[in-house]
Amino acid sequence: MSAQTLFLVFSGTNSRYLAEKICKSLNCPLGQMNIQHFADGEFSVSYEESIRGRDVFLVQSTFPNSENLMELLLMIDAAKRASAHSIIAVVPYFGWARQDRKDQPRVSIGAKLIADMLSTAGINRLITMDLHADQIQGFFNIPVDHLYASSVFLKYIQECLPVDNLVIATPDVGGTKRASSYSKYLGLPMVICHKSRLRANEVVKMRIIGDVKGLDVLLIDDIVDTAGTITRAADLMMANGAKSVRAIASHAVMSGPASQRVEESALTEMIFTDSIPYYKNCNKVKVLSIADMFAEAIRRVCKDESISSLYVIK
């Protein structure tokens, strides 16, 4: 049996756009499955081809709404009951990752709950990218391949941005480690935005630690949700004498007024990966594909080869 026929790739409804690109890179067809919806909102999943004894890769980001997660859980359960040899969840965007600890009394740890649900459903491995918190890998008792979008972003930075006049910036203190990795790899200076909040998604005060005068600023983040923080940071950079401000972020959650905020902000460009589909109209948004990176990870998992060499920076 050829290497190609040892594994099959399937996709949930809302991640099909990415699964098709992954399959194109792998030079294999996307597996056939049927998701039937019922009048009461329930749905069922069935594979339209035999998966007995195969390594099954299920591509589905768990971005809002929760139907994407439920669809993935049913896909896993159906694969287990159809005697798949192994079930690998390919989750480019791992939802609920911001709920990784008890930061106040009487709250859930959503990321741990999702990890337990996926494990109980029956996955043998998880392939994901740019988790909001690295420790989420420890919530699983199975192998987790944690990929980084840096390999995609670095190529774009080096080929398309004014590196000689660039300064790396982080929109909040929590992203310092991520921005520092880019800064060290590229040999560029770094500045930090320090913010304070009264509640989630609402920034009260922000100030810059470092100098941006006359420099082209590149903000580094992992998730852009309402875009309040990243656009406020961009406006603050320009107010402090920056020549231009761009931003890169792995996951385009882009809730509510996010697209309008980006469009009206001082940002020259907002660059995402396609871990989450972005269909809204915003002239400043550019999307880079992670399909080749995930295809290579799948190829290496199938051949029992190292994946760590895919990491340019962490």
Side-chain angles (χ1 to χ4, degrees):
M1 185 179 289
S2 68
Q4 277 193 10
T5 59
L6 291 174
F7 72 90
L8 292 167
V9 180
F10 294 89
S11 172
T13 303
N14 292 319
S15 290
R16 188 179 179 92
Y17 71 97
L18 181 57
E20 288 175 344
K21 288 188 279 188
I22 290 173
C23 287
K24 183 178 180 181
S25 183
L26 288 168
N27 193 28
C28 71
L30 181 62
Q32 299 299 308
M33 67 184 310
N34 181 46
I35 301 176
Q36 183 178 2
H37 290 259
F38 303 105
D40 63 353
E42 288 188 12
F43 50 91
S44 66
V45 169
S46 63
Y47 292 91
E48 299 299 295
E49 56 187 290
S50 175
I51 60 174
R52 183 179 294 273
R54 305 292 185 90
D55 295 322
V56 176
F57 291 84
L58 307 178
V59 181
Q60 179 79 315
S61 284
T62 55
F63 55 93
N65 57 40
S66 56
E67 189 169 292
N68 291 308
L69 172 62
M70 191 64 195
E71 197 172 275
L72 176 59
L73 292 170
L74 290 174
M75 289 163 64
I76 295 166
D77 185 68
K80 181 173 65 175
R81 297 177 189 279
S83 301
H85 176 259
S86 66
I87 303 167
I88 301 95
V90 180
V91 186
Y93 173 71
F94 187 90
W96 288 270
R98 286 173 283 182
Q99 300 179 40
D100 62 303
R101 65 195 184 282
K102 282 192 71 175
D103 55 356
Q104 55 183 307
R106 299 176 296 281
V107 297
S108 65
I109 303 178
K112 179 63 169 70
L113 175 62
I114 302 306
D116 289 344
M117 292 168 70
L118 292 172
S119 298
T120 301
I123 64 171
N124 302 105
R125 177 183 290 268
L126 173 72
I127 304 176
T128 188
M129 184 188 79
D130 283 347
L131 289 167
H132 186 66
D134 287 344
Q135 66 264 24
I136 291 173
Q137 296 172 76
F139 293 172
F140 291 87
N141 291 318
I142 56 170
V144 175
D145 296 310
H146 186 201
L147 308 182
Y148 296 88
S150 54
S151 58
V152 175
F153 286 138
L154 282 172
K155 182 180 179 182
Y156 183 80
I157 292 168
Q158 292 169 323
E159 293 179 358
C160 303
L161 301 188
V163 179
D164 293 340
N165 194 51
L166 206 61
V167 60
I168 301 298
T170 173
D172 56 41
V173 175
T176 302
K177 179 183 175 183
R178 186 181 307 106
S180 178
S181 297
Y182 280 83
S183 173
K184 290 177 181 178
Y185 183 86
L186 294 167
L188 297 172
M190 186 181 83
V191 300
I192 300 170
C193 279
H194 181 270
K195 67 181 179 183
S196 57
R197 297 179 185 267
L198 281 178
R199 58 186 65 86
N201 298 130
E202 186 177 325
V203 178
V204 178
K205 187 177 181 181
M206 183 179 285
R207 62 188 179 89
I208 298 176
I209 302 172
D211 184 22
V212 297
K213 190 171 182 180
L215 298 174
D216 296 293
V217 178
L218 180 63
L219 289 159
I220 311 286
D221 211 347
D222 63 332
I223 298 171
V224 174
D225 188 350
T226 62
T229 297
I230 202 105
T231 54
R232 187 162 178 176
D235 293 343
L236 184 61
M237 295 291 177
M238 292 300 290
N240 279 265
K243 184 178 178 182
S244 69
V245 186
R246 294 175 175 84
I248 62 174
S250 303
H251 307 296
V253 177
M254 297 294 278
S255 307
S259 293
Q260 184 178 352
R261 285 176 175 172
V262 169
E263 190 70 55
E264 295 174 352
S265 73
L267 284 168
T268 301
E269 196 173 35
M270 179 75 242
I271 306 144
F272 295 114
T273 75
D274 55 355
S275 64
I276 298 175
Y278 182 76
Y279 299 122
K280 296 176 183 176
N281 184 28
C282 180
N283 294 322
K284 294 184 178 181
V285 169
K286 181 178 180 64
V287 178
L288 306 179
S289 183
I290 51 173
D292 289 344
M293 181 177 69
F294 272 88
E296 183 61 24
I298 290 172
R299 192 179 290 115
R300 294 188 185 198
V301 167
C302 291
K303 294 182 177 181
D304 293 323
E305 294 178 355
S306 172
I307 289 180
S308 60
S309 58
L310 289 174
Y311 308 155
V312 180
I313 58 174
K314 300 181 181 180

